[in-house]
mmCIF file of all heavy atoms in Angstrom:
data_model
loop_
_atom_site.group_PDB
_atom_site.id
_atom_site.type_symbol
_atom_site.label_atom_id
_atom_site.label_comp_id
_atom_site.label_asym_id
_atom_site.label_seq_id
_atom_site.Cartn_x
_atom_site.Cartn_y
_atom_site.Cartn_z
ATOM 1 N N GLY A 10 13.768 -100.379 -61.504
ATOM 2 C CA GLY A 10 12.800 -99.878 -62.475
ATOM 3 C C GLY A 10 11.806 -100.957 -62.858
ATOM 4 O O GLY A 10 10.608 -100.703 -63.031
ATOM 5 N N LEU A 12 10.951 -103.544 -61.014
ATOM 6 C CA LEU A 12 10.105 -103.770 -59.860
ATOM 7 C C LEU A 12 9.057 -102.695 -59.710
ATOM 8 O O LEU A 12 7.889 -102.974 -59.418
ATOM 9 C CB LEU A 12 10.971 -103.855 -58.581
ATOM 10 C CG LEU A 12 10.262 -104.133 -57.259
ATOM 11 C CD1 LEU A 12 9.691 -105.511 -57.291
ATOM 12 C CD2 LEU A 12 11.213 -103.940 -56.092
ATOM 13 N N MET A 13 9.471 -101.429 -59.941
ATOM 14 C CA MET A 13 8.513 -100.323 -59.851
ATOM 15 C C MET A 13 7.436 -100.438 -60.922
ATOM 16 O O MET A 13 6.262 -100.159 -60.645
ATOM 17 C CB MET A 13 9.247 -98.996 -59.987
ATOM 18 C CG MET A 13 10.028 -98.579 -58.753
ATOM 19 S SD MET A 13 10.990 -97.105 -58.941
ATOM 20 C CE MET A 13 9.699 -95.938 -59.283
ATOM 21 N N GLY A 14 7.795 -100.886 -62.106
ATOM 22 C CA GLY A 14 6.831 -101.058 -63.186
ATOM 23 C C GLY A 14 5.816 -102.089 -62.835
ATOM 24 O O GLY A 14 4.578 -101.873 -63.007
ATOM 25 N N PHE A 15 6.247 -103.237 -62.363
ATOM 26 C CA PHE A 15 5.329 -104.335 -61.987
ATOM 27 C C PHE A 15 4.461 -103.952 -60.773
ATOM 28 O O PHE A 15 3.240 -104.263 -60.709
ATOM 29 C CB PHE A 15 6.041 -105.594 -61.742
ATOM 30 C CG PHE A 15 6.403 -106.331 -63.006
ATOM 31 C CD1 PHE A 15 7.721 -106.703 -63.229
ATOM 32 C CD2 PHE A 15 5.453 -106.638 -63.991
ATOM 33 C CE1 PHE A 15 8.043 -107.385 -64.416
ATOM 34 C CE2 PHE A 15 5.811 -107.315 -65.132
ATOM 35 C CZ PHE A 15 7.099 -107.663 -65.357
ATOM 36 N N LEU A 16 5.076 -103.278 -59.828
ATOM 37 C CA LEU A 16 4.337 -102.852 -58.652
ATOM 38 C C LEU A 16 3.221 -101.829 -58.998
ATOM 39 O O LEU A 16 2.096 -101.887 -58.549
ATOM 40 C CB LEU A 16 5.248 -102.258 -57.596
ATOM 41 C CG LEU A 16 4.610 -101.831 -56.286
ATOM 42 C CD1 LEU A 16 4.004 -103.045 -55.555
ATOM 43 C CD2 LEU A 16 5.605 -101.137 -55.414
ATOM 44 N N GLY A 17 3.592 -100.900 -59.927
ATOM 45 C CA GLY A 17 2.577 -99.932 -60.380
ATOM 46 C C GLY A 17 1.407 -100.603 -61.107
ATOM 47 O O GLY A 17 0.258 -100.258 -60.910
ATOM 48 N N LEU A 18 1.728 -101.603 -61.965
ATOM 49 C CA LEU A 18 0.665 -102.323 -62.678
ATOM 50 C C LEU A 18 -0.194 -103.135 -61.669
ATOM 51 O O LEU A 18 -1.415 -103.212 -61.841
ATOM 52 C CB LEU A 18 1.262 -103.217 -63.711
ATOM 53 C CG LEU A 18 1.756 -102.529 -64.976
ATOM 54 C CD1 LEU A 18 2.372 -103.572 -65.886
ATOM 55 C CD2 LEU A 18 0.718 -101.745 -65.659
ATOM 56 N N PHE A 19 0.422 -103.683 -60.686
ATOM 57 C CA PHE A 19 -0.328 -104.430 -59.664
ATOM 58 C C PHE A 19 -1.255 -103.526 -58.879
ATOM 59 O O PHE A 19 -2.420 -103.857 -58.645
ATOM 60 C CB PHE A 19 0.675 -105.106 -58.718
ATOM 61 C CG PHE A 19 0.017 -105.897 -57.639
ATOM 62 C CD1 PHE A 19 -0.555 -107.152 -57.915
ATOM 63 C CD2 PHE A 19 -0.012 -105.425 -56.360
ATOM 64 C CE1 PHE A 19 -1.168 -107.865 -56.897
ATOM 65 C CE2 PHE A 19 -0.626 -106.173 -55.319
ATOM 66 C CZ PHE A 19 -1.201 -107.370 -55.583
ATOM 67 N N ALA A 21 -2.475 -100.610 -59.956
ATOM 68 C CA ALA A 21 -3.517 -100.094 -60.844
ATOM 69 C C ALA A 21 -4.581 -101.182 -61.125
ATOM 70 O O ALA A 21 -5.749 -100.864 -61.262
ATOM 71 C CB ALA A 21 -2.895 -99.646 -62.171
ATOM 72 N N LEU A 31 -4.657 -94.023 -61.003
ATOM 73 C CA LEU A 31 -3.745 -93.032 -61.558
ATOM 74 C C LEU A 31 -2.360 -93.125 -60.918
ATOM 75 O O LEU A 31 -1.340 -93.041 -61.577
ATOM 76 C CB LEU A 31 -4.313 -91.625 -61.422
ATOM 77 C CG LEU A 31 -3.504 -90.470 -62.044
ATOM 78 C CD1 LEU A 31 -3.369 -90.677 -63.518
ATOM 79 C CD2 LEU A 31 -4.118 -89.145 -61.662
ATOM 80 N N GLY A 32 -2.345 -93.309 -59.601
ATOM 81 C CA GLY A 32 -1.065 -93.430 -58.917
ATOM 82 C C GLY A 32 -0.284 -94.685 -59.343
ATOM 83 O O GLY A 32 0.922 -94.610 -59.555
ATOM 84 N N GLY A 33 -0.978 -95.758 -59.537
ATOM 85 C CA GLY A 33 -0.344 -96.997 -60.004
ATOM 86 C C GLY A 33 0.203 -96.844 -61.423
ATOM 87 O O GLY A 33 1.333 -97.316 -61.741
ATOM 88 N N MET A 34 -0.565 -96.262 -62.266
ATOM 89 C CA MET A 34 -0.135 -96.032 -63.675
ATOM 90 C C MET A 34 1.071 -95.077 -63.716
ATOM 91 O O MET A 34 1.980 -95.280 -64.505
ATOM 92 C CB MET A 34 -1.279 -95.526 -64.552
ATOM 93 C CG MET A 34 -2.371 -96.545 -64.757
ATOM 94 S SD MET A 34 -1.800 -98.101 -65.444
ATOM 95 C CE MET A 34 -1.485 -97.639 -67.136
ATOM 96 N N LEU A 35 1.085 -94.043 -62.901
ATOM 97 C CA LEU A 35 2.179 -93.131 -62.887
ATOM 98 C C LEU A 35 3.455 -93.789 -62.355
ATOM 99 O O LEU A 35 4.573 -93.574 -62.814
ATOM 100 C CB LEU A 35 1.882 -91.897 -62.055
ATOM 101 C CG LEU A 35 0.935 -90.906 -62.704
ATOM 102 C CD1 LEU A 35 0.560 -89.811 -61.751
ATOM 103 C CD2 LEU A 35 1.517 -90.329 -63.978
ATOM 104 N N PHE A 36 3.263 -94.672 -61.315
ATOM 105 C CA PHE A 36 4.374 -95.425 -60.774
ATOM 106 C C PHE A 36 4.984 -96.336 -61.834
ATOM 107 O O PHE A 36 6.183 -96.467 -62.023
ATOM 108 C CB PHE A 36 3.811 -96.267 -59.596
ATOM 109 C CG PHE A 36 4.826 -96.537 -58.528
ATOM 110 C CD1 PHE A 36 5.400 -95.525 -57.820
ATOM 111 C CD2 PHE A 36 5.198 -97.813 -58.257
ATOM 112 C CE1 PHE A 36 6.312 -95.782 -56.831
ATOM 113 C CE2 PHE A 36 6.128 -98.122 -57.256
ATOM 114 C CZ PHE A 36 6.670 -97.084 -56.530
ATOM 115 N N CYS A 37 4.088 -97.011 -62.648
ATOM 116 C CA CYS A 37 4.536 -97.850 -63.718
ATOM 117 C C CYS A 37 5.264 -97.044 -64.793
ATOM 118 O O CYS A 37 6.289 -97.460 -65.288
ATOM 119 C CB CYS A 37 3.349 -98.594 -64.325
ATOM 120 S SG CYS A 37 3.800 -99.632 -65.730
ATOM 121 N N LEU A 38 4.692 -95.914 -65.146
ATOM 122 C CA LEU A 38 5.340 -95.037 -66.156
ATOM 123 C C LEU A 38 6.693 -94.593 -65.717
ATOM 124 O O LEU A 38 7.644 -94.569 -66.498
ATOM 125 C CB LEU A 38 4.437 -93.821 -66.429
ATOM 126 C CG LEU A 38 4.943 -92.855 -67.460
ATOM 127 C CD1 LEU A 38 4.981 -93.482 -68.832
ATOM 128 C CD2 LEU A 38 4.081 -91.603 -67.469
ATOM 129 N N PHE A 39 6.881 -94.235 -64.438
ATOM 130 C CA PHE A 39 8.149 -93.871 -63.946
ATOM 131 C C PHE A 39 9.152 -95.002 -64.055
ATOM 132 O O PHE A 39 10.307 -94.773 -64.411
ATOM 133 C CB PHE A 39 8.081 -93.358 -62.510
ATOM 134 C CG PHE A 39 9.402 -92.889 -61.963
ATOM 135 C CD1 PHE A 39 9.911 -91.678 -62.352
ATOM 136 C CD2 PHE A 39 10.096 -93.661 -61.058
ATOM 137 C CE1 PHE A 39 11.127 -91.219 -61.845
ATOM 138 C CE2 PHE A 39 11.314 -93.261 -60.585
ATOM 139 C CZ PHE A 39 11.835 -91.984 -60.993
ATOM 140 N N GLY A 40 8.769 -96.220 -63.704
ATOM 141 C CA GLY A 40 9.649 -97.347 -63.815
ATOM 142 C C GLY A 40 10.083 -97.628 -65.220
ATOM 143 O O GLY A 40 11.250 -97.913 -65.514
ATOM 144 N N VAL A 41 9.108 -97.535 -66.173
ATOM 145 C CA VAL A 41 9.466 -97.750 -67.600
ATOM 146 C C VAL A 41 10.392 -96.622 -68.113
ATOM 147 O O VAL A 41 11.388 -96.880 -68.807
ATOM 148 C CB VAL A 41 8.180 -97.812 -68.441
ATOM 149 C CG1 VAL A 41 8.477 -97.799 -69.916
ATOM 150 C CG2 VAL A 41 7.412 -99.064 -68.062
ATOM 151 N N ALA A 42 10.103 -95.392 -67.756
ATOM 152 C CA ALA A 42 10.940 -94.295 -68.149
ATOM 153 C C ALA A 42 12.358 -94.355 -67.595
ATOM 154 O O ALA A 42 13.327 -94.048 -68.276
ATOM 155 C CB ALA A 42 10.300 -92.955 -67.745
ATOM 156 N N LEU A 43 12.461 -94.850 -66.360
ATOM 157 C CA LEU A 43 13.755 -95.038 -65.748
ATOM 158 C C LEU A 43 14.552 -96.065 -66.534
ATOM 159 O O LEU A 43 15.750 -95.850 -66.827
ATOM 160 C CB LEU A 43 13.608 -95.494 -64.303
ATOM 161 C CG LEU A 43 14.889 -95.853 -63.544
ATOM 162 C CD1 LEU A 43 15.753 -94.606 -63.361
ATOM 163 C CD2 LEU A 43 14.557 -96.487 -62.214
#
Side-chain angles (χ1 to χ4, degrees):
L12 181 67
M13 287 176 61
F15 281 126
L16 182 64
L18 287 178
F19 180 75
L31 183 62
M34 291 305 285
L35 287 174
F36 210 64
C37 177
L38 180 67
F39 181 75
V41 170
L43 176 66

